Amino acid sequence: MRSLDLHPIFRNNRDIELMLRQFLFSAAQSGDPVAEIIPGKGSGQLKRRVLAFLDQKHIRKLYARHEPDPKNPGRILVHFRD
């Protein structure tokens, strides 16, 4: 499973969006069924930013669905189409 940890770049909006975009494109092409994005628990602000990014219409076409990890609310699981 591919993983992207956003802790090191959480203060830079442009870097966050760039990393998310690159990560999703490479994960979608890799053939892995699931990838994880780790915004962390914190105040929830970074998680909301990631979810807003994932819900954009042109990004939504890359994956089937996303959900918070049931065992760890600081992770978001992104499921790709088969």
Side-chain angles (χ1 to χ4, degrees), residues 1-76:
M1 173 178 0
R2 290 180 179 254
S3 180
L4 174 64
D5 187 354
L6 295 175
H7 288 103
I9 59 167
F10 73 96
R11 293 191 194 276
N12 190 326
N13 288 335
R14 187 182 319 150
D15 287 348
I16 289 170
E17 188 162 324
L18 179 64
M19 291 298 293
L20 284 169
R21 188 179 310 276
Q22 290 175 347
F23 175 73
L24 283 176
F25 277 105
S26 68
Q29 296 223 338
S30 73
D32 290 340
V34 180
E36 70 176 351
I37 300 172
I38 306 169
K41 295 176 186 175
S43 67
Q45 195 169 13
L46 182 55
K47 186 175 182 178
R48 285 191 298 274
R49 189 180 307 161
V50 170
L51 291 173
F53 175 84
L54 290 173
D55 287 336
Q56 293 179 58
K57 191 174 185 178
H58 64 285
I59 298 297
R60 184 88 172 104
K61 295 176 183 178
L62 295 173
Y63 65 92
R65 64 186 173 93
H66 64 77
E67 65 182 351
D69 184 349
K71 297 178 185 172
N72 182 351
R75 293 186 340 165
I76 299 169

